[in-house]
Amino acid sequence: MLGKVILRNSMLSSLDMAVGLVVTIATAGIVARALGPDKIGHYGFALWISVVVMSFSRHSVAATASKYLAEYLGRGDIAMAKALTRLAFVAEFISGTAFVVFGLLYIWLRVPAGHQLYNALIVISMFPFMIMTVPTVVNVASENFAGNVVPGMVATLLQPVSIYLALGLKWELVGLAAGQLLCRVVDM
């Protein structure tokens, strides 16, 4: 039984990563060519900063909670696992809100007006990611990888559609950032 669970979860994770890699490779050049080096540089830098901030979320509360959550679930202590999940979710919600508020304040005070909207959308798109780390950990601890992979793949497959709309309708950076936000919400 355990072998089947490990095989299924490994295959689901590999499929999710493969789809994400293919979509990224297929769309990166199209976006770069359509926007040019100046615009893609601004956009890429904003995305890089958001990824750095989000990595703190993934490697802080959620990573710590995952260890203890798996232990409590393994012992059959569902009440403690639920309490830990609630506490971790509240901590992620508070830290996610703080990061977004700080990011939006920084954009308002320091980013030139022509770059504020897409930067704000990128910062706002961090919030769904940050609050979904705890439910993601719950799925992993309970060995339910499908709960993470299915919405993740839907969001990943939605990304090229949002890119096509953003570029086709000349929404450019704002459209790309809005698409990023939409995909993060769908991934939840």
Side-chain angles (χ1 to χ4, degrees):
M1 179 67 178
L2 182 60
K4 287 181 182 180
V5 171
I6 292 171
L7 180 64
R8 182 190 72 225
N9 289 339
S10 297
M11 290 180 70
L12 284 170
S13 291
S14 297
L15 179 64
D16 188 29
M17 289 177 65
V19 169
L21 183 62
V22 168
V23 167
T24 300
I25 290 170
T27 58
I30 294 168
V31 172
R33 223 174 290 117
L35 295 179
D38 186 47
K39 288 181 182 175
I40 200 67
H42 289 289
Y43 185 69
F45 183 70
L47 284 178
W48 174 77
I49 289 174
S50 74
V51 168
V52 169
V53 170
M54 290 183 305
S55 71
F56 285 112
S57 172
R58 177 157 283 170
H59 298 292
S60 60
V61 173
T64 304
S66 68
K67 177 197 180 308
Y68 296 105
L69 188 59
E71 285 182 22
Y72 289 123
L73 288 173
R75 289 185 207 150
D77 192 348
I78 303 301
M80 184 59 94
K82 285 181 179 180
L84 177 62
T85 300
R86 278 192 297 276
L87 179 64
F89 186 79
V90 168
E92 286 290 342
F93 187 88
I94 290 169
S95 67
T97 302
F99 276 121
V100 169
V101 168
F102 175 74
L104 291 175
L105 183 62
Y106 178 83
I107 289 167
W108 181 57
L109 295 173
R110 304 286 298 162
V111 174
H115 299 281
Q116 286 184 346
L117 181 55
Y118 74 86
N119 276 289
L121 289 170
I122 290 171
V123 167
I124 293 167
S125 77
M126 292 186 320
F127 188 74
F129 176 87
M130 293 176 85
I131 64 169
M132 78 177 184
T133 56
V134 173
T136 298
V137 164
V138 170
N139 287 336
V140 170
S142 63
E143 300 177 341
N144 176 23
F145 283 32
N148 296 339
V149 172
V150 172
M153 286 184 52
V154 170
T156 300
L157 294 171
L158 183 61
Q159 190 71 35
V161 174
S162 68
I163 290 170
Y164 176 77
L165 288 173
L167 298 178
L169 296 173
K170 306 285 188 227
W171 295 341
E172 295 189 342
L173 298 176
V174 172
L176 291 174
Q180 180 80 14
L181 175 58
L182 173 66
C183 290
R184 292 248 170 86
V185 169
V186 167
D187 197 8
M188 287 177 52

